[in-house]
Amino acid sequence: DAKTTQPTSMDCAEGRAANLPCNHSTISGNEYVYWYRQIHSQGPQYIIHGLKNNETNEMASLIITEDRKSSTLILPHATLRDTAVYYCIVRAEGDDKIIFGKGTRLHILP
Amino acid sequence: NAGVTQTPKFRVLKTGQSMTLLCAQDMNHEYMYWYRQDPGMGLRLIHYSVGEGTTAKGEVPDGYNVSRLKKQNFLLGLESAAPSQTSVYFCASSYPPLGQRKWWANVLTFGAGSRLTVL
């Protein structure tokens, strides 16, 4: 089973920040939080990952709570091209069996 | 640098036929994966491999076989296709050899997918 839970779907207005939550209450100390997205029927694409500190790259920001039991992916200025399914997974370095959940289907509204 | 390449991209089979999907990666990754994705659903792990000559079962292995005779290739076989195996199949790889691992070592790189229809 997936180690994370995410809302099934979310809406966000174009130009606004999209905040996608992920719950990982059983995360271990050596497990990282990874985010991927899948646009239409393409292969999933890596977005960002982190251990305990907040992270930012050119695509998004990742905010991890102090107890590490949940995190939020932030797309600062959502565009129509951000419409996709977003997957949150937890994985320790070298973990081999990678299980995805059902992800969150994000709809960007014009 | 092609990344992960899947062949074929599309295939239509009749029930009972057999076929093999090929996944090839040119990143020298140790780990390779096969997932399936049904309409409106998430990714489900079929089989995976942690190195040349190794394979292991994922969440939904029944009806599939895999082989990893060469490090860069991971083959997914359907011996007797069934309509329930109609799906989009994705291959992924990760984890460079020791000495080449940096912050992105555990990032999965996916192929573009193979759409299989079983009639």
Side-chain angles (χ1 to χ4, degrees):
Chain A
D1 288 350
K3 299 179 183 178
T4 62
T5 55
Q6 300 176 252
T8 302
S9 66
M10 294 182 63
D11 293 337
C12 179
E14 189 177 16
R16 307 296 285 270
N19 297 283
L20 292 93
C22 180
N23 183 292
H24 31 81
S25 58
T26 61
I27 192 170
S28 300
N30 63 342
E31 288 181 317
Y32 291 74
V33 180
Y34 284 78
W35 283 84
Y36 293 82
R37 76 177 182 183
Q38 185 176 25
I39 296 174
H40 194 44
S41 297
Q42 300 176 18
Q45 172 193 24
Y46 165 80
I47 301 173
I48 197 168
H49 74 284
L51 183 62
K52 53 183 177 181
N53 297 322
N54 298 337
E55 302 287 345
T56 296
N57 62 22
E58 64 279 4
M59 292 181 69
S61 294
L62 174 60
I63 308 298
I64 302 174
T65 58
E66 194 169 340
D67 63 6
R68 301 186 70 237
K69 293 185 177 182
S70 65
S71 61
T72 301
L73 178 75
I74 302 173
L75 309 177
H77 304 287
T79 71
L80 295 176
R81 288 176 295 180
D82 293 320
T83 293
V85 178
Y86 289 77
Y87 297 97
C88 165
I89 64 170
V90 295
R91 181 184 187 185
E93 183 172 339
D95 269 0
D96 48 17
K97 190 173 184 178
I98 308 301
I99 304 295
F100 282 75
K102 296 181 180 178
T104 296
R105 187 171 296 274
L106 177 65
H107 300 278
I108 304 301
L109 308 174
Chain B
N1 189 346
V4 177
T5 304
Q6 294 182 228
T7 53
K9 289 184 170 52
F10 301 93
R11 184 74 187 269
V12 178
L13 288 177
K14 294 182 180 178
T15 297
Q17 287 184 318
S18 63
M19 76 156 296
T20 300
L21 297 176
L22 169 63
C23 176
Q25 53 96 3
D26 60 1
M27 298 168 285
N28 203 22
H29 283 168
E30 301 287 349
Y31 297 170
M32 295 187 74
Y33 304 83
W34 276 108
Y35 292 89
R36 63 175 286 176
Q37 186 172 40
D38 300 326
M41 303 289 287
L43 299 161
R44 291 187 292 170
L45 181 63
I46 305 172
H47 286 281
Y48 64 100
S49 166
V50 298
E52 182 177 310
T54 76
T55 63
K57 294 180 179 180
E59 301 173 274
V60 289
D62 293 343
Y64 304 94
N65 56 73
V66 286
S67 64
R68 189 145 178 226
L69 300 179
K70 294 183 179 181
K71 186 177 183 179
Q72 64 267 33
N73 295 336
F74 195 29
L75 278 64
L76 177 71
L78 287 71
E79 289 187 347
S80 180
S84 61
Q85 293 177 304
T86 293
S87 191
V88 180
Y89 293 84
F90 289 99
C91 176
S93 72
S94 73
Y95 218 50
L98 191 63
Q100 300 176 28
R101 292 170 191 161
K102 300 186 186 300
W103 66 266
W104 40 259
N106 289 278
V107 171
L108 289 167
T109 300
F110 281 85
S114 297
R115 185 175 296 274
L116 175 66
T117 302
V118 183
L119 303 176

PDB file of all heavy atoms in Angstrom, chain A residues 50-62:
ATOM      1  N   GLY A  50      12.361  16.400  -0.766  1.00  0.00           N
ATOM      2  CA  GLY A  50      12.986  16.966   0.421  1.00  0.00           C
ATOM      3  C   GLY A  50      12.954  15.971   1.565  1.00  0.00           C
ATOM      4  O   GLY A  50      12.173  15.021   1.554  1.00  0.00           O
ATOM      5  N   LEU A  51      13.789  16.242   2.566  1.00  0.00           N
ATOM      6  CA  LEU A  51      13.866  15.382   3.750  1.00  0.00           C
ATOM      7  C   LEU A  51      13.158  16.040   4.925  1.00  0.00           C
ATOM      8  O   LEU A  51      12.217  15.484   5.485  1.00  0.00           O
ATOM      9  CB  LEU A  51      15.323  15.099   4.103  1.00  0.00           C
ATOM     10  CG  LEU A  51      15.548  14.146   5.273  1.00  0.00           C
ATOM     11  CD1 LEU A  51      14.978  12.769   4.991  1.00  0.00           C
ATOM     12  CD2 LEU A  51      17.038  14.056   5.614  1.00  0.00           C
ATOM     13  N   LYS A  52      13.607  17.199   5.330  1.00  0.00           N
ATOM     14  CA  LYS A  52      12.930  17.900   6.421  1.00  0.00           C
ATOM     15  C   LYS A  52      12.921  19.404   6.231  1.00  0.00           C
ATOM     16  O   LYS A  52      12.061  20.095   6.766  1.00  0.00           O
ATOM     17  CB  LYS A  52      13.553  17.547   7.768  1.00  0.00           C
ATOM     18  CG  LYS A  52      15.057  17.735   7.851  1.00  0.00           C
ATOM     19  CD  LYS A  52      15.562  17.271   9.205  1.00  0.00           C
ATOM     20  CE  LYS A  52      17.077  17.389   9.291  1.00  0.00           C
ATOM     21  NZ  LYS A  52      17.587  16.923  10.605  1.00  0.00           N
ATOM     22  N   ASN A  53      13.863  19.914   5.469  1.00  0.00           N
ATOM     23  CA  ASN A  53      13.867  21.343   5.194  1.00  0.00           C
ATOM     24  C   ASN A  53      12.968  21.661   4.009  1.00  0.00           C
ATOM     25  O   ASN A  53      12.739  20.822   3.143  1.00  0.00           O
ATOM     26  CB  ASN A  53      15.282  21.820   4.887  1.00  0.00           C
ATOM     27  CG  ASN A  53      16.210  21.626   6.069  1.00  0.00           C
ATOM     28  OD1 ASN A  53      15.804  21.818   7.207  1.00  0.00           O
ATOM     29  ND2 ASN A  53      17.437  21.236   5.796  1.00  0.00           N
ATOM     30  N   ASN A  54      12.460  22.877   3.994  1.00  0.00           N
ATOM     31  CA  ASN A  54      11.686  23.311   2.834  1.00  0.00           C
ATOM     32  C   ASN A  54      12.616  23.429   1.633  1.00  0.00           C
ATOM     33  O   ASN A  54      13.786  23.787   1.766  1.00  0.00           O
ATOM     34  CB  ASN A  54      11.000  24.645   3.134  1.00  0.00           C
ATOM     35  CG  ASN A  54      10.019  24.538   4.281  1.00  0.00           C
ATOM     36  OD1 ASN A  54       9.519  23.458   4.588  1.00  0.00           O
ATOM     37  ND2 ASN A  54       9.758  25.659   4.925  1.00  0.00           N
ATOM     38  N   GLU A  55      12.085  23.115   0.468  1.00  0.00           N
ATOM     39  CA  GLU A  55      12.871  23.144  -0.759  1.00  0.00           C
ATOM     40  C   GLU A  55      12.151  23.949  -1.821  1.00  0.00           C
ATOM     41  O   GLU A  55      10.915  23.994  -1.849  1.00  0.00           O
ATOM     42  CB  GLU A  55      13.112  21.717  -1.284  1.00  0.00           C
ATOM     43  CG  GLU A  55      13.804  20.774  -0.331  1.00  0.00           C
ATOM     44  CD  GLU A  55      15.281  21.066  -0.154  1.00  0.00           C
ATOM     45  OE1 GLU A  55      15.837  21.820  -0.985  1.00  0.00           O
ATOM     46  OE2 GLU A  55      15.883  20.546   0.813  1.00  0.00           O
ATOM     47  N   THR A  56      12.937  24.563  -2.692  1.00  0.00           N
ATOM     48  CA  THR A  56      12.373  25.322  -3.808  1.00  0.00           C
ATOM     49  C   THR A  56      13.234  25.090  -5.034  1.00  0.00           C
ATOM     50  O   THR A  56      14.458  25.054  -4.942  1.00  0.00           O
ATOM     51  CB  THR A  56      12.328  26.826  -3.485  1.00  0.00           C
ATOM     52  OG1 THR A  56      11.435  27.046  -2.391  1.00  0.00           O
ATOM     53  CG2 THR A  56      11.822  27.626  -4.680  1.00  0.00           C
ATOM     54  N   ASN A  57      12.580  24.923  -6.167  1.00  0.00           N
ATOM     55  CA  ASN A  57      13.304  24.901  -7.440  1.00  0.00           C
ATOM     56  C   ASN A  57      12.491  25.707  -8.455  1.00  0.00           C
ATOM     57  O   ASN A  57      11.527  26.397  -8.084  1.00  0.00           O
ATOM     58  CB  ASN A  57      13.593  23.474  -7.914  1.00  0.00           C
ATOM     59  CG  ASN A  57      12.343  22.666  -8.182  1.00  0.00           C
ATOM     60  OD1 ASN A  57      11.277  23.221  -8.404  1.00  0.00           O
ATOM     61  ND2 ASN A  57      12.486  21.342  -8.153  1.00  0.00           N
ATOM     62  N   GLU A  58      12.870  25.612  -9.706  1.00  0.00           N
ATOM     63  CA  GLU A  58      12.223  26.442 -10.719  1.00  0.00           C
ATOM     64  C   GLU A  58      10.774  26.037 -10.969  1.00  0.00           C
ATOM     65  O   GLU A  58      10.019  26.798 -11.565  1.00  0.00           O
ATOM     66  CB  GLU A  58      13.009  26.393 -12.028  1.00  0.00           C
ATOM     67  CG  GLU A  58      13.066  25.026 -12.694  1.00  0.00           C
ATOM     68  CD  GLU A  58      14.118  24.107 -12.096  1.00  0.00           C
ATOM     69  OE1 GLU A  58      14.767  24.507 -11.104  1.00  0.00           O
ATOM     70  OE2 GLU A  58      14.282  23.003 -12.636  1.00  0.00           O
ATOM     71  N   MET A  59      10.391  24.864 -10.545  1.00  0.00           N
ATOM     72  CA  MET A  59       9.034  24.392 -10.792  1.00  0.00           C
ATOM     73  C   MET A  59       8.097  24.650  -9.621  1.00  0.00           C
ATOM     74  O   MET A  59       6.922  24.967  -9.814  1.00  0.00           O
ATOM     75  CB  MET A  59       9.033  22.894 -11.092  1.00  0.00           C
ATOM     76  CG  MET A  59       9.674  22.500 -12.406  1.00  0.00           C
ATOM     77  SD  MET A  59       9.593  20.728 -12.675  1.00  0.00           S
ATOM     78  CE  MET A  59       7.846  20.492 -12.936  1.00  0.00           C
ATOM     79  N   ALA A  60       8.601  24.443  -8.390  1.00  0.00           N
ATOM     80  CA  ALA A  60       7.688  24.440  -7.243  1.00  0.00           C
ATOM     81  C   ALA A  60       8.449  24.626  -5.942  1.00  0.00           C
ATOM     82  O   ALA A  60       9.683  24.647  -5.919  1.00  0.00           O
ATOM     83  CB  ALA A  60       6.928  23.111  -7.210  1.00  0.00           C
ATOM     84  N   SER A  61       7.663  24.733  -4.868  1.00  0.00           N
ATOM     85  CA  SER A  61       8.220  24.728  -3.513  1.00  0.00           C
ATOM     86  C   SER A  61       7.611  23.575  -2.752  1.00  0.00           C
ATOM     87  O   SER A  61       6.454  23.200  -2.989  1.00  0.00           O
ATOM     88  CB  SER A  61       7.913  26.040  -2.790  1.00  0.00           C
ATOM     89  OG  SER A  61       8.570  27.120  -3.413  1.00  0.00           O
ATOM     90  N   LEU A  62       8.386  23.038  -1.823  1.00  0.00           N
ATOM     91  CA  LEU A  62       7.928  21.942  -0.986  1.00  0.00           C
ATOM     92  C   LEU A  62       8.060  22.370   0.468  1.00  0.00           C
ATOM     93  O   LEU A  62       9.160  22.718   0.914  1.00  0.00           O
ATOM     94  CB  LEU A  62       8.767  20.682  -1.243  1.00  0.00           C
ATOM     95  CG  LEU A  62       8.520  19.482  -0.344  1.00  0.00           C
ATOM     96  CD1 LEU A  62       7.079  19.002  -0.446  1.00  0.00           C
ATOM     97  CD2 LEU A  62       9.486  18.348  -0.688  1.00  0.00           C
TER      98      LEU A  62
END
